[in-house]
Amino acid sequence: MRIGIVGDSHGDHAALRRVLHANPLVDRWLHTGDWSQDAWLLAEESGLPVLAVAGNTDSPDGRAKEEELLNISGYEIWLIHGHRYLAYGKNALIEEAREVGADIVVYGHTHVPEAAWYGKILAINPGSPSRPRGGSKAGFAVLTLHPEEKPEVEFIYL
């Protein structure tokens, strides 16, 4: 199972089209919020399932849920924008991921790509395809899940 992860797109449809034109072979998309409504473009143009969560800049109209807990290929994946937890530091986000029983936390908000292990929890931030921060490049992530193997994360820069 290959999962495309994007977030913090902030309504930049040209950036999302660049993501899709990077031609990642994925089975589905996750959007970490801050313009979760951009998920419709990913779904429409890729023809794949897309799940989005709301970020701190999302409109209350047609707003996505603030978080989702998914079981994909035997992994519990907690999808969240993360701003409420990151206000207290990364440890607060990781501790809550542990509390909800996640193996993987997929989050956004910082616009900085990350794939790091915190004990047994893999934290993934795809960065931003439209407004990268912290010296990072515009891009997104692809998470590959293999049964009985460690998850792999690849960053694709635009």
Side-chain angles (χ1 to χ4, degrees), residues 59-137:
S59 164
D61 297 334
R63 191 175 167 100
K65 290 182 180 179
E66 289 196 16
E67 61 185 88
E68 295 276 357
L69 186 61
L70 316 159
N71 185 296
I72 301 176
S73 296
Y75 292 92
E76 293 294 325
I77 300 174
W78 186 39
L79 176 62
I80 189 160
H81 187 62
H83 60 287
R84 295 186 195 280
Y85 297 98
L86 292 169
Y88 301 102
K90 180 73 66 60
N91 287 340
L93 179 71
I94 299 305
E95 185 54 38
E96 188 62 22
R98 194 173 287 115
E99 289 291 320
V100 301
D103 301 303
I104 301 169
V105 56
V106 174
Y107 72 101
H109 189 61
T110 67
H111 298 220
V112 177
E114 176 190 37
W117 287 94
Y118 294 86
K120 294 182 179 182
I121 295 175
L122 175 59
I124 303 168
N125 186 320
S128 171
S130 61
R131 298 179 184 179
R133 292 183 187 155
S136 65
K137 297 178 182 176

Side-chain angles (χ1 to χ4, degrees), residues 13 17 20 29 38-50:
H13 292 176
R17 287 188 176 98
L20 292 170
W29 286 96
D38 288 345
W40 73 266
L41 179 77
L42 286 173
E44 185 176 286
E45 295 200 9
S46 73
L48 297 171
V50 180

Side-chain angles (χ1 to χ4, degrees), residues 17-29:
R17 287 188 176 98
R18 284 192 298 277
V19 167
L20 292 170
H21 289 140
N23 197 23
L25 298 174
V26 298
D27 301 298
R28 68 179 309 159
W29 286 96

